[in-house]
Amino acid sequence: MTRLSDNQRSIERYRHHAAGYDASAERTMPLRLRTIALLALKPGDVVVDVGAGTGLSYEPLLAQVGATGRVLAFEQSPDMFAHARRRAERLADARLWHVNAPAETVTLPEPADAVLFNYVHDISRTPAAVDNILRQARPGARIAMAGMKFFPWWTGPLNLLAWLKNRPYNARPADLWQPWDRVARHCERFELQATQWGMGYIACGVLRRESAAAPGRQGESA
Ligand SMILES: C[S@@+](CC[C@H](N)C(=O)[O-])C[C@H]1O[C@@H](n2cnc3c(N)ncnc32)[C@H](O)[C@@H]1O
């Protein structure tokens, strides 16, 4: 039997989640908006929606980047992206650019001022994916993250619950001790708060110069 890569396993999982995703994510909308607020977006900003799923963050992001800003998004699952594409068609907003592509290889059309990692555990645990995204952002870009994490170790069996909740969605569900750390190491002023009684986190920071796009580097069109 051929072993699937993490990317293929994730695509398989989201084949089953895509249809019901928006309904299941509705109750976490306040957390999504809180995470987006950490980006402190300004008119004219270019913001990246990492692993955009069905595009649930498109509208709140577009609302904050003004007439000259842009939202750049990518998503590897064809099933999730089909929903995002329909949402984009409804929005018909020229400020939105999105593509069905994996984080490890996506090329953004221009450098970003802000990057949103909202519940994208498999991406934020993959150094090649994190590096590829962040090297396309400007030095000082604002980064915001949210996701699941394990409870403190001394709560013991409660982490079985965290693992079980994470397993249907992520290729590496046991990797929940510090799921932000591969992004945090690229940031200055990284701040973290626990959410959902300790089973989640929300975080933000500012991209270090050495992790960012080289000065003067222009993005290439996809
Ligand atoms: C829990 S969903 C979150 C979607 C969206 N960020 C949101 O807030 O609703 C995780 C998403 O990450 C996508 N994903 C996982 N690995 C990826 C990769 N390597 N490149 C791009 N997208 C990926 C999945 O297909 C899925 O749509």
Side-chain angles (χ1 to χ4, degrees):
M1 202 172 78
T2 11
R3 209 179 117 72
L4 296 180
S5 68
D6 283 353
N7 295 69
Q8 289 166 325
R9 277 194 289 155
S10 176
I11 288 171
E12 277 309 310
R13 283 179 158 83
Y14 280 94
R15 199 182 300 287
H16 306 290
H17 293 313
Y21 187 81
D22 285 8
S24 70
E26 203 169 315
R27 71 194 156 74
T28 53
M29 192 50 89
L31 189 56
R32 179 186 302 276
L33 298 179
R34 216 174 120 195
T35 311
I36 290 174
L38 291 175
L39 292 171
L41 292 170
K42 302 184 299 301
D45 275 347
V46 175
V47 58
V48 184
D49 187 1
V50 170
T54 60
L56 276 172
S57 295
Y58 289 176
E59 280 178 87
L61 291 172
L62 286 165
Q64 293 181 34
V65 295
T68 57
R70 286 190 88 190
V71 175
L72 313 179
F74 62 87
E75 164 55 49
Q76 81 171 355
S77 151
D79 300 87
M80 295 292 271
F81 191 69
H83 289 266
R85 188 182 277 130
R86 283 198 285 280
R87 188 183 307 277
E89 282 165 7
R90 279 199 306 278
L91 292 171
D93 192 320
R95 298 172 303 157
L96 172 64
W97 173 96
H98 72 167
V99 68
N100 184 196
E104 290 82 347
T105 55
V106 68
T107 300
L108 303 174
E110 58 191 304
D113 303 297
V115 186
L116 175 68
F117 289 82
N118 193 58
Y119 279 79
V120 286
H121 178 80
D122 281 339
I123 299 178
S124 48
R125 297 316 293 155
T126 305
V130 171
D131 292 354
N132 182 46
I133 299 159
L134 296 183
R135 71 177 180 76
Q136 300 183 66
R138 295 184 199 282
R142 298 176 305 283
I143 315 288
M145 302 180 77
M148 283 186 62
K149 68 173 187 61
F150 276 147
F151 294 100
W153 65 268
W154 42 265
T155 58
L158 273 182
N159 283 326
L160 182 60
L161 178 67
W163 180 78
L164 284 171
K165 272 186 80 90
N166 209 25
R167 194 169 67 137
Y169 295 94
N170 297 310
R172 275 171 285 166
D175 190 10
L176 282 170
W177 287 113
Q178 292 200 317
W180 53 81
D181 67 354
R182 297 209 156 105
V183 174
R185 70 179 57 152
H186 293 282
C187 295
E188 291 164 0
R189 305 201 295 275
F190 195 79
E191 291 173 23
L192 183 83
Q193 272 177 45
T195 60
Q196 295 144 306
W197 304 280
M199 199 169 59
Y201 71 92
I202 183 167
C204 64
V206 170
L207 186 62
R208 288 182 193 284
R209 176 163 295 276
E210 56 275 24
S211 299
R217 178 182 180 277
Q218 293 298 308
E220 299 138 33
S221 291

